[in-house]
Amino acid sequence: MPKVYLILSIHNHQPVGNFDYVFEDAYEKAYLPFLKMLTAHPKLKFVLHYSGNLLVWIEKKHPEAIDMLTTLIKSGRIELLSGGFYEPVLCCLPEVDRVMQIREMTAYIKDMFGYTPRGMWLAERVWEPHMPECISNAGIEYLPVDDYHFKLAGVDDRDLLGYHVTEENGFMVKVFPGSEELRYSIPFKDVDKVMSYLKEISMTGGSPLLTLADDGEKFGVWPDTFSHCYKDGWLESFFSALENNSDWLKTTTFSEYQDGFYPVGRVYLPTASYREMGEWALPPEGALDYEYALNEMKGLFGDKAKNFLRGGAWRSFFTKYPESNHIHKRMLRISRKVHKAVKKFKIQNSKFKIQKSDKTLNSQLLTPDSLLHELWKGQCNDAYWHGIFGGLYLPHLRSALYRHLLNAEAMAEEVLKGQGVKEFIEEGDLDCDGFRDICISKGDMTAFFTEDSGALIELSSKGKQVNLLDVLTRRPEAYHSRISETAQHDSPAVKTIHDPERLGVKESGLLDYLIYDNYRRASLLDHFFDYNIELDAVMKSEYEERGDFIGSPYLLERIDGGGVRLSREGLVSGNKVKIDKSVLFRKSGIRVDYLLEGRYSGIFATEFNISFLGSPYPSIHAGRKALLMKDKGAHSDMRSFYIKDKFLNMKAAFSFDEDVEMWHYPIETVSLSEGGVERLYQGTAFLFVKRFDFNGSKRVGFTVNFGEAK
């Protein structure tokens, strides 16, 4: 009887920085019950992948799972895959980090299980044509991607029932096409329908191979899947069906199949990820056009219409979200510092120790391994993009990237600084957006300035490992057009999280929070308003900017004393106004001085957008008032105020040269996660307001000091 081979490749991952209770919930609902189910069906073979940080967590918190995996490996029941240790999108890393992360993961698996993986999992299956070389150099022979990659290369359906070879500069790897049909069927369609599809493939002749390559969280963590898979028995029924039909169906592994069968042929895959990722990477209008065109074409070509349309490349997220681009470009430059420091380690064969002080969270022994792992943790993919998971929109995931990258930067600078070196300065178009930037790392602080809007993009404390300006802009998303006030589940059927009909809301009234900013939520932004403007209008982006400074380039230059000057001559209500502002580093903060020249009557306001790890619980102390960070407020005759965060043990104190009005309001976004659409607090906008009527010049100044929250 004809036989079909089936590879069930399951990928398990939790983002760096995710809450421990989320790890625990995923373990109890998916990772552990899946292993128990697999153990109970000894005739089946599987391929498993765990990201390095998840495997480290399991080893520490649940060694019983490590014992189960060890037994399954020794019995030949499972193949473990390697991959980037902290689940990075490999193509967007420096090549040295790509290879080292994979080798580190391979070594970790070998050390733990006495088993050397030959294959790897590619994070988000993001493929670019140059990748075979670095993958081969990392010691990897094969990996799964998606059948969508192959279809974009013109491979027909029959040739998807096997594996192919590909190469770059003669460096070869084998690639297996993961079936989209199986991704959408398992575990969502009836077991009988899944088995009928497998039976149909078995009748094509030869030794056809089908591969499922998908997330393990779909077996218990995704909405309603725990009851569906375990309480209602879907997974037990599926595993039993696989065993009961072993006369025509055989579960296998990548290593076993490629050792026994020749490749179908050679293929050169284009830049791609799974099909849905390309849609998410598009700008909102493009994503809506894509969805409309796909639905129209399905009427003509059915599911084959998916092969004729493609969305954006994964790197398009750096265009769609400037905040992601900033983290990525900072990561690239910090990586260079780290590898220079590692090289210095090797030359000096020495160790450095960073002592605990009032500005550092931990005392730690600085070694090449600790330095590299801090960098690599900051390369974890999840907070660099956004699709149906929270991703970039989740403040705790973004802050985790900053935490590890800033720590890596501080550690590298500790190694690299020579006698008398007090600051590290980088100049140029550092974030590759066409505007000149200056990044100054001095003492505990790192500040990143740009010509674009004369803005301060980042103000980080390396000791506290936090970027205080990490606030996400409120922007439209394609799915905003589909938000309704209906319940999340209007059908008893369990659906994949990719099903557009699943879109629901986590709270009522979300439509009121669909507010979009006209500019990026940076800091040191210069506004000119009418006298009669109200705070609510600013908060809702329902006002007219009287000046042309937001979104326009400033002249950016370094000045003596370790700071920068930003200047621009523009128009305000038809009159010429020049802004000259300087920022100087102080021992525990920064000093900002403005000189305005020209003629103007109205409100001038400097905007800062501030976040303490995205937490709404730090307190704002303005005069005798104490408010929560996410409160809205307007305060007159202010000479000073401060923000205090007990978790970070940190205080940011603002002192003004003369009285100002201080306005503040929360920045809240509406974003999609696997559980539905939700409102998220991103940070707080602060406006330092002055009412002016001058014809000549006017000076304004203030100081920002950082200290402990006493």
Side-chain angles (χ1 to χ4, degrees):
M1 179 178 289
K3 179 164 287 192
V4 62
Y5 290 83
L6 177 64
I7 295 177
L8 297 167
S9 178
I10 308 302
H11 156 67
N12 302 297
H13 168 62
Q14 289 297 320
V16 169
N18 214 354
F19 301 118
D20 192 73
Y21 74 84
V22 177
F23 278 72
E24 193 66 50
D25 183 68
Y27 179 79
E28 294 294 337
K29 288 183 176 178
Y31 308 146
L32 180 61
F34 190 90
L35 279 177
K36 287 181 176 179
M37 188 70 69
L38 180 55
T39 301
H41 290 268
K43 296 180 181 179
L44 303 182
K45 292 185 178 181
F46 272 74
V47 178
L48 298 179
H49 172 258
Y50 297 84
S51 58
N53 59 298
L54 175 58
L55 203 54
V56 169
W57 182 89
I58 292 174
E59 181 185 21
K60 179 180 179 181
K61 296 294 184 72
H62 292 285
E64 71 278 5
I66 301 299
D67 293 339
M68 295 171 72
L69 286 169
T70 301
T71 300
L72 289 167
I73 290 171
K74 289 182 177 179
S75 65
R77 298 268 326 278
I78 66 169
E79 174 183 3
L80 273 187
L81 295 181
S82 184
F85 197 96
Y86 292 100
E87 197 68 6
V89 169
L90 284 179
C91 63
C92 293
L93 300 189
E95 183 156 353
V96 62
D97 292 319
R98 298 177 201 166
V99 174
M100 291 183 75
Q101 279 222 42
I102 297 170
R103 287 179 176 172
E104 185 75 3
M105 186 68 186
T106 298
Y108 184 79
I109 291 172
K110 183 178 181 180
D111 183 63
M112 179 179 293
F113 299 106
Y115 166 87
T116 302
R118 298 165 60 190
M120 67 167 282
W121 182 267
L122 184 66
E124 303 304 327
R125 280 100 73 197
V126 178
W127 175 270
E128 292 185 358
H130 59 83
M131 295 183 67
E133 185 168 356
C134 70
I135 291 172
S136 178
N137 284 335
I140 296 298
E141 299 177 35
Y142 48 80
L143 68 156
V145 285
D146 281 65
D147 56 9
Y148 182 64
H149 297 65
F150 290 78
K151 291 175 181 179
L152 291 176
V155 177
D156 63 37
D157 289 348
R158 183 66 186 86
D159 287 340
L160 294 175
L161 302 177
Y163 70 94
H164 295 239
V165 296
T166 189
E167 58 85 25
E168 170 72 2
N169 294 326
F171 292 88
M172 188 184 74
V173 293
K174 299 159 188 173
V175 284
F176 288 75
S179 167
E180 183 175 312
E181 174 66 27
L182 290 183
R183 274 204 300 123
Y184 274 72
S185 299
I186 298 173
F188 306 106
K189 292 184 179 179
D190 291 341
V191 170
D192 289 344
K193 290 184 178 180
V194 177
M195 298 305 295
S196 294
Y197 174 70
L198 296 175
K199 183 70 172 179
E200 180 183 334
I201 296 299
S202 75
M203 303 305 292
T204 59
S207 302
L209 169 71
L210 277 172
T211 298
L212 169 70
D214 206 3
D215 297 345
E217 291 77 23
K218 72 193 299 184
F219 300 103
V221 175
W222 291 6
D224 304 319
T225 56
F226 179 74
S227 293
H228 176 63
C229 288
Y230 303 107
K231 293 182 179 180
D232 298 339
W234 190 96
L235 202 58
E236 169 65 35
S237 297
F238 179 56
F239 282 11
S240 295
L242 294 177
E243 288 182 317
N244 294 337
N245 289 278
S246 59
D247 56 329
W248 60 268
L249 185 153
K250 180 180 179 180
T251 56
T252 185
T253 64
F254 294 120
S255 60
E256 185 176 74
Y257 188 86
Q258 66 101 39
D259 284 345
F261 295 93
Y262 286 103
V264 174
R266 186 190 308 110
V267 69
Y268 292 93
L269 302 175
T271 295
S273 177
Y274 47 87
R275 181 182 55 80
E276 302 90 341
M277 181 70 83
E279 184 176 355
W280 300 333
L282 292 170
E285 298 83 358
L288 292 173
D289 289 344
Y290 176 97
E291 184 179 357
Y292 174 79
L294 181 60
N295 288 333
E296 289 293 302
M297 291 179 68
K298 279 183 177 179
L300 297 173
F301 302 104
D303 272 353
K304 284 187 176 293
K306 298 175 183 177
N307 304 342
F308 306 139
L309 282 178
R310 64 177 304 174
W314 190 87
R315 292 175 188 259
S316 297
F317 287 113
F318 298 147
T319 300
K320 188 174 182 179
Y321 303 111
E323 299 89 347
S324 169
N325 181 67
H326 177 75
I327 301 173
H328 178 254
K329 301 309 181 288
R330 284 277 283 132
M331 177 274 291
L332 295 179
R333 292 184 171 273
I334 290 171
S335 175
R336 294 173 195 170
K337 286 183 181 179
V338 165
H339 288 287
K340 285 181 181 178
V342 169
K343 186 176 181 180
K344 187 174 180 180
F345 265 114
K346 293 179 179 178
I347 294 173
Q348 296 184 351
N349 192 27
S350 58
K351 294 181 179 180
F352 296 79
K353 189 169 185 179
I354 299 178
Q355 297 292 340
K356 185 175 181 181
S357 70
D358 60 345
K359 291 186 178 179
T360 58
L361 293 178
N362 299 293
S363 175
Q364 53 190 309
L365 189 64
L366 207 168
T367 66
D369 279 348
S370 65
L371 185 50
L372 287 167
H373 275 271
E374 280 301 289
L375 167 66
W376 294 340
K377 289 174 185 176
Q379 295 173 341
C380 181
N381 80 85
D382 304 80
Y384 284 97
W385 63 283
H386 172 65
I388 52 173
F389 298 98
L392 176 75
Y393 274 89
L394 299 178
H396 68 283
L397 296 188
R398 291 200 314 276
S399 65
L401 294 185
Y402 276 113
R403 178 167 66 253
H404 294 295
L405 290 174
L406 289 168
N407 197 30
E409 183 173 49
M411 295 163 73
E413 289 177 356
E414 184 72 17
V415 176
L416 294 173
K417 68 183 181 183
Q419 189 173 5
V421 176
K422 296 182 178 179
E423 61 186 15
F424 292 81
I425 299 176
E426 297 173 289
E427 298 184 63
D429 186 3
L430 305 179
D431 56 5
C432 304
D433 65 350
F435 294 92
R436 185 168 171 271
D437 312 299
I438 295 178
C439 183
I440 302 175
S441 179
K442 186 173 183 179
D444 181 58
M445 305 301 298
T446 295
F448 190 104
F449 301 90
T450 179
E451 289 180 327
D452 187 11
S453 300
L456 176 59
I457 299 295
E458 177 183 344
L459 185 61
S460 292
S461 165
K462 286 173 286 189
K464 300 298 185 182
Q465 301 167 4
V466 59
N467 173 18
L468 296 167
L469 309 185
D470 177 26
V471 178
L472 201 65
T473 303
R474 302 175 297 184
R475 54 173 57 89
E477 296 285 357
Y479 52 77
H480 285 171
S481 64
R482 295 190 283 117
I483 292 177
S484 69
E485 301 301 326
T486 59
Q488 180 175 330
H489 302 295
D490 55 2
S491 167
V494 179
K495 299 177 180 179
T496 171
I497 57 174
H498 299 289
D499 192 324
E501 295 182 9
R502 278 198 64 261
L503 187 68
V505 297
K506 288 188 174 182
E507 63 175 287
S508 61
L510 283 184
L511 292 174
D512 295 335
Y513 292 92
L514 290 181
I515 300 169
Y516 304 131
D517 295 317
N518 298 317
Y519 55 90
R520 180 179 174 184
R521 284 287 171 180
S523 289
L524 209 65
L525 299 175
D526 302 321
H527 293 279
F528 292 89
F529 302 136
D530 286 333
Y531 275 128
N532 60 356
I533 194 169
E534 295 181 353
L535 174 57
D536 281 347
V538 177
M539 181 176 176
K540 296 177 181 178
S541 290
E542 296 174 347
Y543 67 92
E544 185 175 351
E545 194 79 44
R546 291 304 181 187
D548 63 357
F549 290 83
I550 303 290
S552 296
Y554 282 57
L555 174 65
L556 171 63
E557 55 190 341
R558 286 172 56 193
I559 57 177
D560 294 337
V564 302
R565 175 179 289 114
L566 293 146
S567 57
R568 180 176 186 274
E569 186 175 288
L571 293 176
V572 182
S573 299
N575 297 318
K576 288 185 178 181
V577 173
K578 182 180 180 182
I579 293 179
D580 192 316
K581 55 186 176 183
S582 63
V583 182
L584 291 172
F585 279 78
R586 294 290 186 251
K587 183 177 180 181
S588 58
I590 59 172
R591 169 69 190 181
V592 180
D593 285 288
Y594 274 85
L595 173 62
L596 286 78
E597 297 178 291
R599 187 174 67 183
Y600 176 60
S601 180
I603 287 177
F604 171 71
T606 300
E607 177 178 347
F608 267 67
N609 289 283
I610 298 176
S611 171
F612 286 77
L613 304 178
S615 170
Y617 300 114
S619 52
I620 301 171
H621 298 261
R624 296 183 178 180
K625 295 180 180 179
L627 304 95
L628 288 178
M629 189 74 168
K630 67 180 299 184
D631 289 338
K632 180 179 70 172
H635 314 270
S636 301
D637 303 324
M638 300 295 299
R639 278 294 182 100
S640 65
F641 77 96
Y642 64 91
I643 308 164
K644 183 169 67 174
D645 181 64
K646 293 182 179 179
F647 178 81
L648 284 171
N649 187 26
M650 189 175 188
K651 181 172 75 171
F654 289 76
S655 301
F656 303 93
D657 293 353
E658 55 186 58
D659 288 349
V660 301
E661 296 177 45
M662 191 269 284
W663 299 355
H664 56 90
Y665 60 91
I667 304 299
E668 295 176 300
T669 55
V670 176
S671 61
L672 182 62
S673 70
E674 62 269 36
V677 182
E678 60 190 353
R679 173 168 55 110
L680 291 173
Y681 168 78
Q682 298 293 340
T684 296
F686 290 85
L687 291 170
F688 311 139
V689 175
K690 290 292 293 184
R691 299 177 185 272
F692 284 145
D693 186 359
F694 67 87
N695 185 3
S697 63
K698 190 69 179 178
R699 293 186 180 274
V700 180
F702 60 92
T703 302
V704 188
N705 285 313
F706 302 101
E708 292 189 347
K710 297 179 180 179

